[in-house]
PDB file of all heavy atoms in Angstrom:
ATOM      1  N   VAL A  99      -2.870  -5.065  -7.140  1.00 86.00           N
ATOM      2  CA  VAL A  99      -1.958  -4.528  -6.126  1.00 86.00           C
ATOM      3  C   VAL A  99      -2.751  -3.633  -5.188  1.00 86.00           C
ATOM      4  O   VAL A  99      -3.514  -2.774  -5.632  1.00 86.00           O
ATOM      5  CB  VAL A  99      -0.818  -3.718  -6.801  1.00 86.00           C
ATOM      6  CG1 VAL A  99       0.090  -3.103  -5.755  1.00 86.00           C
ATOM      7  CG2 VAL A  99      -0.037  -4.584  -7.771  1.00 86.00           C
ATOM      8  N   GLU A 100      -2.569  -3.844  -3.887  1.00 85.00           N
ATOM      9  CA  GLU A 100      -3.224  -3.015  -2.878  1.00 85.00           C
ATOM     10  C   GLU A 100      -2.172  -2.395  -1.978  1.00 85.00           C
ATOM     11  O   GLU A 100      -1.224  -3.066  -1.573  1.00 85.00           O
ATOM     12  CB  GLU A 100      -4.184  -3.850  -2.029  1.00 85.00           C
ATOM     13  CG  GLU A 100      -5.348  -4.395  -2.817  1.00 85.00           C
ATOM     14  CD  GLU A 100      -6.345  -5.146  -1.948  1.00 85.00           C
ATOM     15  OE1 GLU A 100      -6.510  -4.767  -0.771  1.00 85.00           O
ATOM     16  OE2 GLU A 100      -6.935  -6.097  -2.461  1.00 85.00           O
ATOM     17  N   SER A 101      -2.358  -1.122  -1.661  1.00 83.00           N
ATOM     18  CA  SER A 101      -1.446  -0.430  -0.763  1.00 83.00           C
ATOM     19  C   SER A 101      -2.009  -0.488   0.647  1.00 83.00           C
ATOM     20  O   SER A 101      -3.119  -0.023   0.903  1.00 83.00           O
ATOM     21  CB  SER A 101      -1.274   1.027  -1.190  1.00 83.00           C
ATOM     22  OG  SER A 101      -0.568   1.735  -0.196  1.00 83.00           O
ATOM     23  N   SER A 102      -1.237  -1.045   1.568  1.00 87.00           N
ATOM     24  CA  SER A 102      -1.687  -1.095   2.967  1.00 87.00           C
ATOM     25  C   SER A 102      -1.583   0.275   3.618  1.00 87.00           C
ATOM     26  O   SER A 102      -2.223   0.524   4.639  1.00 87.00           O
ATOM     27  CB  SER A 102      -0.861  -2.122   3.749  1.00 87.00           C
ATOM     28  OG  SER A 102       0.503  -1.766   3.709  1.00 87.00           O
ATOM     29  N   ILE A 103      -0.840   1.181   3.025  1.00 91.00           N
ATOM     30  CA  ILE A 103      -0.669   2.523   3.588  1.00 91.00           C
ATOM     31  C   ILE A 103      -1.803   3.447   3.152  1.00 91.00           C
ATOM     32  O   ILE A 103      -2.440   4.102   3.980  1.00 91.00           O
ATOM     33  CB  ILE A 103       0.696   3.119   3.174  1.00 91.00           C
ATOM     34  CG1 ILE A 103       1.806   2.263   3.766  1.00 91.00           C
ATOM     35  CG2 ILE A 103       0.821   4.577   3.622  1.00 91.00           C
ATOM     36  CD1 ILE A 103       3.185   2.611   3.286  1.00 91.00           C
ATOM     37  N   THR A 104      -2.073   3.500   1.839  1.00 89.00           N
ATOM     38  CA  THR A 104      -3.104   4.425   1.328  1.00 89.00           C
ATOM     39  C   THR A 104      -4.466   3.772   1.188  1.00 89.00           C
ATOM     40  O   THR A 104      -5.466   4.468   1.067  1.00 89.00           O
ATOM     41  CB  THR A 104      -2.695   4.985  -0.044  1.00 89.00           C
ATOM     42  OG1 THR A 104      -2.668   3.904  -0.993  1.00 89.00           O
ATOM     43  CG2 THR A 104      -1.352   5.690   0.015  1.00 89.00           C
ATOM     44  N   GLY A 105      -4.503   2.444   1.150  1.00 87.00           N
ATOM     45  CA  GLY A 105      -5.754   1.743   0.942  1.00 87.00           C
ATOM     46  C   GLY A 105      -6.178   1.683  -0.521  1.00 87.00           C
ATOM     47  O   GLY A 105      -7.205   1.092  -0.850  1.00 87.00           O
ATOM     48  N   GLU A 106      -5.411   2.309  -1.402  1.00 86.00           N
ATOM     49  CA  GLU A 106      -5.726   2.280  -2.835  1.00 86.00           C
ATOM     50  C   GLU A 106      -5.349   0.933  -3.424  1.00 86.00           C
ATOM     51  O   GLU A 106      -4.457   0.248  -2.931  1.00 86.00           O
ATOM     52  CB  GLU A 106      -4.957   3.383  -3.571  1.00 86.00           C
ATOM     53  CG  GLU A 106      -5.376   4.777  -3.172  1.00 86.00           C
ATOM     54  CD  GLU A 106      -4.558   5.843  -3.886  1.00 86.00           C
ATOM     55  OE1 GLU A 106      -3.651   5.488  -4.673  1.00 86.00           O
ATOM     56  OE2 GLU A 106      -4.825   7.025  -3.650  1.00 86.00           O
ATOM     57  N   SER A 107      -6.048   0.585  -4.487  1.00 84.00           N
ATOM     58  CA  SER A 107      -5.717  -0.654  -5.190  1.00 84.00           C
ATOM     59  C   SER A 107      -5.863  -0.420  -6.686  1.00 84.00           C
ATOM     60  O   SER A 107      -6.610   0.469  -7.121  1.00 84.00           O
ATOM     61  CB  SER A 107      -6.621  -1.796  -4.735  1.00 84.00           C
ATOM     62  OG  SER A 107      -7.956  -1.526  -5.101  1.00 84.00           O
ATOM     63  N   HIS A 108      -5.130  -1.218  -7.449  1.00 83.00           N
ATOM     64  CA  HIS A 108      -5.200  -1.137  -8.903  1.00 83.00           C
ATOM     65  C   HIS A 108      -4.658  -2.425  -9.502  1.00 83.00           C
ATOM     66  O   HIS A 108      -3.993  -3.212  -8.840  1.00 83.00           O
ATOM     67  CB  HIS A 108      -4.451   0.092  -9.443  1.00 83.00           C
ATOM     68  CG  HIS A 108      -3.033   0.181  -8.984  1.00 83.00           C
ATOM     69  ND1 HIS A 108      -2.662   0.776  -7.807  1.00 83.00           N
ATOM     70  CD2 HIS A 108      -1.892  -0.261  -9.552  1.00 83.00           C
ATOM     71  CE1 HIS A 108      -1.358   0.694  -7.658  1.00 83.00           C
ATOM     72  NE2 HIS A 108      -0.858   0.068  -8.711  1.00 83.00           N
TER      73      HIS A 108
END
Side-chain angles (χ1 to χ4, degrees):
V99 177
E100 295 184 33
S101 171
S102 60
I103 296 172
T104 65
E106 294 178 359
S107 65
H108 54 273

